[in-house]
Amino acid sequence: MSFTSKIQQLLALLNSCSSLKHLFQIHAQTIISGLSQHNCIILKIINFFASHTPINSSSYAGLVIKQSHNSSNSWWNILIRRYATCHKSSYTEAIRFFVEMRRVGAVSDEFTYPFLFKACSSFLGLEEGKQVHCDVIKIGVCNNVYVQNTLIHFYGSCKKIVDAYKMFDEMSPRTVVSWNSIISACVESCWYYDGVEIFRVMRKCGVQPDETTMVVLLSACAELGDLSLGKWIHGQVIEQGMFVNCQLATSLVNMYAKCGAVDYARLMFDRIGERNVWTWSAMILGLAQHGFAAQALELFWKMKDCSVKPNYVSFLGVLCACSHVGMVEEGHRLFQEMESVYRIKPMVAHYGAMVDILSRAGRLEEAYKFIVHMPIEADAVIWRTLLSACHIHDISDHTRVGEEVRSRLLRMEPKRSGNLVMVANKYAGNGLWEKAAKLKRDMKERRLKKIAGESCVSVFQNP
């Protein structure tokens, strides 16, 4: 068989390869045939590892590259991308592969760094990212727009907004992705109005926003609870003639629901042609949080009838609804169903919702036992939920649950004045004046003051 025919045969085998065992056999044949250094064959092997195999098998591909006489940086880039975009446990491996790449003398380029910054963003590796940034400057690709965009995203993910904005400020030209990256960085770090201000500048510069821009801004409005700002952003979507895809529609539903405009949220929801689980979940949670428990439960059953598999947000919403209408048994059944049927591991918020269901129903001892036997440690919010219920359902503390919760809460947050005030008021209400006075003296000695109530008025003017 001729040299060319042998190469074509091996390439055909690699193209039809479907398992790791099969690949090892083909690779052995390339070595026996003396074709293990052929670029096309090496590239096929690397691409197979990058798209078909478990992440822990990619080290084999690294050995293939290192043993080649003329390793290409594109081969390393394929593996770095594989690590940077795969399972969360592999993000640091992308950095390790980059170090190995430099060690063997392969030259990085503008295609290497975006995935490295993505990996650093994923595991919040600020120091590692800064070192990679230094390498970007040394190599001379710091003015590449794709590298700059991922740098903004990296610094934003690490909550270094000043560094992200400095990077953005030095950019020229800027794409819509650049603007989206800095707006997203502000919103993710709770600099909501700064993100809106940057959007205003974006419009003045004549840059057309896209659907991603609006999704990010609507999430800011939802977190602020600023309905007027959210309506203005919705108006911008209409004015720009944007196609309202599923993600954008879900953001609109979420914004209206979180801002208390449940009727608007439901109107948007009913008009959406394509809904995913997040759309359903946003509407269910919005209804539940604003007291429309029956509607939330009805929508949850309808979602299941439409063969949409609920997620953790869906269950949080329906548990909240059960709490409002006192459906203890149904809430408990749904809580069990989360893990047994849908394989969704409950989070702290779900445990808190279950405690709220039991507490509102006056089942204090049951709620206390539920907290104690939780597989994760209860936070102060959960204990405060139960304590508030004790003040309503067991004023005289006959069950002794209230006293136990109070002691746990004071041990957990000894410097939180709100806890001390709550306990002192409870003592005073039960006529235990000496205990109440002692707590207030302790607060005075430790210079702890009751946090004053707050209210806010929006004075923000739309751009």
Side-chain angles (χ1 to χ4, degrees):
M1 185 181 290
S2 67
F3 179 80
T4 305
S5 299
K6 187 64 177 176
I7 291 175
Q8 289 175 345
Q9 182 189 47
L10 290 170
L11 288 174
L13 287 170
L14 286 168
N15 284 330
S16 62
C17 181
S18 59
S19 70
L20 199 58
K21 182 181 178 181
H22 190 195
L23 180 74
F24 288 153
Q25 292 172 347
I26 298 169
H27 190 208
Q29 283 297 314
T30 64
I31 295 170
I32 293 168
S33 305
L35 297 171
S36 61
Q37 299 296 321
H38 196 280
N39 287 352
C40 289
I41 290 175
I42 294 173
L43 183 60
K44 285 287 184 184
I45 291 171
I46 293 166
N47 278 326
F48 180 89
F49 276 101
S51 57
H52 292 86
T53 62
I55 195 67
N56 57 6
S57 301
S58 292
S59 56
Y60 186 90
L63 290 173
V64 172
I65 296 174
K66 284 191 282 187
Q67 288 172 3
S68 65
H69 297 157
N70 298 304
S71 63
S72 167
N73 63 351
S74 63
W75 300 345
W76 291 98
N77 289 346
I78 290 169
L79 290 183
I80 289 171
R81 178 178 62 187
R82 162 72 168 160
Y83 279 113
T85 58
C86 197
H87 193 267
K88 62 182 180 181
S89 62
S90 69
Y91 298 142
T92 54
E93 289 298 299
I95 306 299
R96 185 185 66 79
F97 244 89
F98 173 66
V99 172
E100 191 66 28
M101 172 187 181
R102 299 304 299 272
R103 185 178 289 125
V104 299
V107 179
S108 52
D109 58 19
E110 66 271 19
F111 300 107
T112 311
Y113 296 105
F115 293 107
L116 287 171
F117 288 125
K118 179 179 175 59
C120 292
S121 301
S122 299
F123 70 91
L124 304 181
L126 180 60
E127 293 307 314
E128 293 86 346
K130 284 183 175 179
Q131 291 175 41
V132 176
H133 190 181
C134 290
D135 204 61
V136 165
I137 296 169
K138 289 178 185 177
I139 296 297
V141 294
C142 53
N143 291 324
N144 181 277
V145 67
Y146 301 107
V147 175
Q148 290 173 319
N149 287 342
T150 51
L151 258 171
I152 294 169
H153 173 68
F154 157 67
Y155 281 120
S157 298
C158 294
K159 312 301 180 188
K160 296 294 180 182
I161 304 302
V162 174
D163 293 323
Y165 192 80
K166 183 180 178 183
M167 195 70 244
F168 175 78
D169 203 38
E170 293 172 355
M171 283 186 71
S172 181
R174 299 166 182 154
T175 64
V176 67
V177 176
S178 312
W179 289 93
N180 289 347
S181 296
I182 190 63
I183 292 171
S184 181
C186 289
V187 171
E188 287 175 6
S189 295
C190 304
W191 293 30
Y192 302 120
Y193 285 119
D194 295 84
V196 177
E197 178 62 21
I198 291 171
F199 173 65
R200 183 186 67 81
V201 177
M202 175 186 182
R203 290 176 66 246
K204 280 189 174 181
C205 292
V207 180
Q208 288 295 320
D210 60 10
E211 288 80 6
T212 303
T213 319
M214 298 310 183
V215 167
V216 174
L217 289 169
L218 286 167
S219 71
C221 299
E223 293 303 318
L224 287 167
D226 193 328
L227 181 58
S228 61
L229 180 59
K231 285 183 175 180
W232 178 76
I233 298 295
H234 190 183
Q236 292 294 304
V237 171
I238 297 168
E239 186 181 311
Q240 299 290 332
M242 289 183 181
F243 171 69
V244 181
N245 57 23
C246 184
Q247 186 183 19
L248 182 54
T250 301
S251 297
L252 283 164
V253 171
N254 182 58
M255 181 276 294
Y256 280 120
K258 284 190 175 179
C259 290
V262 183
D263 290 341
Y264 280 107
R266 189 59 193 261
L267 186 65
M268 277 299 308
F269 178 83
D270 290 337
R271 288 182 175 180
I272 298 171
E274 179 191 354
R275 302 172 186 146
N276 61 18
V277 64
W278 297 104
T279 318
W280 288 92
S281 299
M283 193 67 249
I284 291 167
L285 187 61
L287 288 166
Q289 288 179 332
H290 291 91
F292 299 95
Q295 292 181 38
L297 288 164
E298 182 186 346
L299 199 62
F300 181 75
W301 307 132
K302 187 177 179 182
M303 178 182 75
K304 293 178 73 175
D305 289 340
C306 293
S307 300
V308 179
K309 185 180 177 181
N311 63 8
Y312 68 97
V313 180
S314 317
F315 277 105
L316 184 60
V318 78
L319 287 172
C320 181
C322 288
S323 175
H324 282 294
V325 293
M327 297 174 64
V328 179
E329 301 308 323
E330 181 66 12
H332 191 266
R333 187 188 67 79
L334 287 166
F335 183 82
Q336 296 296 327
E337 198 176 90
M338 272 183 70
E339 199 160 10
S340 63
V341 178
Y342 295 98
R343 300 289 185 268
I344 300 172
K345 191 174 181 179
M347 300 163 67
V348 175
H350 298 103
Y351 285 106
M354 195 63 218
V355 170
D356 191 48
I357 289 172
L358 294 169
S359 299
R360 283 174 181 255
R363 295 161 69 162
L364 306 179
E365 291 175 290
E366 192 177 342
Y368 178 77
K369 289 177 183 177
F370 180 85
I371 297 173
V372 171
H373 292 99
M374 279 168 50
I376 55 178
E377 187 178 354
D379 60 14
V381 175
I382 291 177
W383 287 113
R384 269 196 295 274
T385 300
L386 181 53
L387 184 59
S388 297
C390 289
H391 293 172
I392 297 169
H393 297 288
D394 190 15
I395 299 173
S396 301
D397 201 17
H398 293 303
T399 62
R400 306 301 297 166
V401 171
E403 186 60 36
E404 181 61 31
V405 174
R406 280 190 285 272
S407 61
R408 282 179 177 267
L409 196 54
L410 292 179
R411 285 198 303 269
M412 186 179 289
E413 293 182 332
K415 294 184 179 180
R416 186 182 175 92
S417 60
N419 293 337
L420 295 167
V421 170
M422 187 187 298
V423 174
N425 289 342
K426 175 62 177 175
Y427 285 146
N430 289 341
L432 302 172
W433 302 108
E434 289 185 10
K435 285 188 175 183
K438 184 179 181 300
L439 273 179
K440 290 183 178 180
R441 281 197 304 271
D442 288 345
M443 285 182 64
K444 190 173 182 181
E445 289 170 6
R446 292 158 62 186
R447 296 183 179 180
L448 298 176
K449 294 183 179 180
K450 182 180 177 181
I451 300 171
E454 295 180 351
S455 60
C456 62
V457 177
S458 176
V459 293
F460 180 81
Q461 293 183 352
N462 296 334

